Amino acid sequence: MKEKINFKKFPDKNGRFGKYGGRFVAETLMPLLLDVEKQYAKAKSSKDFKKQLNYYFKNYTGRPSPLYYAERISKKIGNVKIYFKRDELNHTGAHKINNCIGQVLLALKMGKKRIVAETGAGQHGLATATVCALFNLKCVVYMGSLDIKRQAPNVFKMKLLGAEIVPVNSGTSTLKDAMNEALRDWVSNVKDTFYVIGTVAGPHPYPMMVRDFQSVIGTEAKKQILEYEKKLPNYLIACIGGGSNALGLFYPFLNDQKVKIIGVEAGGEGLKTKRHAASLSQGKPGFLHGNYTYLLQNSDGQIIDAHSISAGLDYPGIGPEHSWLKDIGRIKYESATDNEAIEAFKICSKLEGIIPALEPSHALAYILKNKNKFKKNDIIIMNMCGRGDKDLFSISKKLNIKA
Ligand SMILES: Cc1ncc(COP(=O)(O)O)c(C=O)c1O
């Protein structure tokens, strides 16, 4: 990347990251989005809002999450020092709650009484249901019927927390279809409802808003690594579904040009098989869920089904800021397959006593398979963005462990 860009200045006032992003929605949605944008701008500059957010981050979520030196895995690889940013230790087990607290506090400020959300792995649905229980809000979660089956523990928890789960049977019965239904619900219930989007996708201002709430991950990590190592890391590495945990870690480092950044997409059964979710490396730009971004699509512009063993990465699109960061070369996007992720899942459990979610297992798989590419003493921060309890049963056969 030759040009010097100040990444803090994006998106522009039209919600664009270069040519990506924007707000391509039905007219009925426009006033809602403009209202969310206005209210978010107010909240962002309000000391009270920041104070409230920090209070819940600290006392409810358990932030700051530790930055942990994964010594045994580092030694297995050889020369490098890998740190895990342990967002799997957050209340509800993943990074998703950072964003939910932010958006629900905003919804409360706007006087909304009902929350809708979409979910894939169930982690965003679980986090939304949790925060709605906390603030006594009605919560409706749209979830693909395939995901309901493979993420049963989270469905059970959401119901216990009082959320209504609406199964979605259209399309591939996964995350993209759930998001379509949640958007439809929002349009029909504009008065009392707020749509809490779970990743850095959707129409402006959502990609920016979710990024800002998740940036607490990178802000903390920067402070922690400077304290432990007295210098910035050589690499940041995170898995990519819609892209929120990754941008949360990456965003505060984007202007630090020396820090190399790698996003790891789901390579599924292999990039050549077409059974994958690698929208950045294999897709083309197009429109989905109100924004312009890289998508898996056929030559007629029809969205192709995504596949990943990990429900949270199984999305044919990607947040628009990532599309821009890819094109300008600030971030490299690579992939890891289902099998490589399972191998990393097992290694992390055995060597570190940390059972990772399948999603961050992709990030670890990338590090493990590319161990020879790193230089001696390289410092890597990897986002351990979720814990694996939700995945154990769905992959138990592949793990070959008898209860
Ligand atoms: C633990 C975990 N990591 C990652 C993701 C992918 O989402 P994103 O790319 O927005 O972080 C999910 C999505 O459900 C998840 O549950």
Side-chain angles (χ1 to χ4, degrees):
M1 210 189 71
K2 291 187 189 86
E3 228 183 314
K4 194 157 172 22
I5 294 173
N6 181 357
F7 291 93
K8 298 277 149 92
K9 289 198 168 155
F10 289 83
D12 66 17
K13 62 181 188 331
N14 299 314
R16 296 291 194 137
F17 303 92
K19 65 180 178 184
Y20 299 103
R23 187 156 38 200
F24 300 91
V25 293
E27 260 177 56
T28 37
L29 256 185
M30 211 53 185
L32 293 183
L33 290 169
L34 292 173
D35 195 28
V36 173
E37 185 184 7
K38 193 168 132 204
Q39 299 301 332
Y40 176 59
K42 255 199 216 164
K44 205 172 167 176
S45 55
S46 146
K47 273 196 192 139
D48 275 356
F49 186 82
K50 267 186 221 149
K51 203 168 145 194
Q52 234 187 344
L53 189 64
N54 287 337
Y55 172 83
Y56 287 104
F57 275 175
K58 179 166 177 241
N59 297 300
Y60 194 68
T61 309
R63 303 211 71 90
S65 69
L67 186 72
Y68 161 75
Y69 170 39
E71 192 171 353
R72 290 193 67 203
I73 289 196
S74 298
K75 292 207 165 126
K76 180 179 168 65
I77 289 182
N79 296 323
V80 297
K81 224 168 166 185
I82 302 174
Y83 282 87
F84 290 159
K85 180 60 178 158
R86 298 202 57 192
D87 258 53
E88 103 279 11
L89 292 178
N90 293 341
H91 180 42
T92 69
H95 64 295
K96 297 285 180 184
I97 195 155
N98 304 327
N99 166 51
C100 288
I101 289 179
Q103 285 196 53
V104 168
L105 287 177
L106 182 64
L108 286 169
K109 280 218 165 329
M110 293 170 72
K112 305 293 183 185
K113 301 269 181 291
R114 179 176 177 269
I115 299 294
V116 290
E118 82 296 333
T119 198
Q123 286 301 134
H124 173 61
L126 174 62
T128 310
T130 300
V131 182
C132 285
L134 174 68
F135 291 111
N136 192 23
L137 292 165
K138 183 166 172 44
C139 179
V140 179
V141 179
Y142 288 87
M143 188 167 189
S145 45
L146 175 66
D147 291 338
I148 288 181
K149 269 195 210 124
R150 56 183 173 173
Q151 302 285 259
N154 275 343
V155 175
F156 185 77
K157 286 186 203 165
M158 284 186 273
K159 287 189 176 168
L160 182 67
L161 290 158
E164 180 191 341
I165 313 297
V166 183
V168 177
N169 294 307
S170 53
T172 45
S173 309
T174 58
L175 184 58
K176 121 177 125 27
D177 314 295
M179 203 158 168
N180 286 336
E181 291 307 318
L183 274 163
R184 258 180 225 131
D185 180 316
W186 195 27
V187 178
S188 342
N189 297 288
V190 291
K191 266 208 171 136
D192 66 340
T193 298
F194 187 96
Y195 179 17
V196 175
I197 295 186
T199 191
V200 285
H204 181 62
Y206 280 97
M208 169 182 77
M209 197 162 65
V210 178
R211 174 200 72 192
D212 291 351
F213 290 137
Q214 290 294 2
S215 291
V216 65
I217 301 173
T219 304
E220 285 173 7
K222 197 172 203 178
K223 198 166 157 221
Q224 290 164 321
I225 201 75
L226 287 173
E227 187 189 330
Y228 301 161
E229 296 285 347
K230 311 281 178 262
K231 59 181 178 184
L232 291 174
N234 301 89
Y235 287 91
L236 300 176
I237 300 183
C239 68
I240 306 270
S244 70
N245 86 87
L247 259 189
L249 174 65
F250 300 165
Y251 183 66
F253 292 87
L254 286 177
N255 282 339
D256 301 307
Q257 292 292 343
K258 283 199 176 143
V259 178
K260 297 185 201 79
I261 306 184
I262 299 173
V264 185
E265 298 190 287
E269 292 172 11
L271 296 186
K272 286 191 186 134
T273 66
K274 298 213 164 105
R275 299 247 317 141
H276 59 75
S279 31
L280 282 165
S281 55
Q282 303 293 308
K284 283 183 301 195
F287 296 91
L288 180 68
H289 297 140
N291 71 94
Y292 186 65
T293 193
Y294 274 86
L295 304 172
L296 294 177
Q297 51 184 313
N298 66 19
S299 51
D300 296 331
Q302 294 297 321
I303 306 297
I304 299 175
D305 300 344
H307 162 81
S308 169
I309 192 165
S310 134
L313 305 186
D314 201 346
Y315 182 59
I318 175 72
E321 191 163 2
H322 284 289
S323 296
W324 175 60
L325 292 165
K326 169 193 154 75
D327 280 8
I328 60 174
R330 176 63 186 98
I331 298 185
K332 263 178 77 182
Y333 293 90
E334 305 280 353
S335 65
T337 64
D338 289 351
N339 286 341
E340 289 164 346
I342 289 176
E343 207 40 46
F345 180 95
K346 290 201 259 184
I347 289 174
C348 188
S349 304
K350 284 214 173 117
L351 292 191
E352 296 294 345
I354 295 171
I355 301 174
L358 281 173
E359 291 83 4
S361 300
H362 285 72
L364 185 59
Y366 172 82
I367 299 174
L368 292 169
K369 73 175 171 172
N370 289 289
K371 59 182 185 190
N372 296 329
K373 287 192 186 156
F374 299 108
K375 289 207 200 85
K376 195 165 187 278
N377 301 328
D378 270 352
I379 294 168
I380 302 171
I381 298 181
M382 190 205 100
N383 202 2
M384 181 56 78
C385 56
R387 65 176 91 120
D389 322 27
K390 68 182 178 58
D391 298 312
L392 278 177
F393 294 100
S394 71
I395 59 161
S396 59
K397 274 201 192 116
K398 291 190 193 274
L399 292 176
N400 208 11
I401 301 170
K402 289 206 177 79

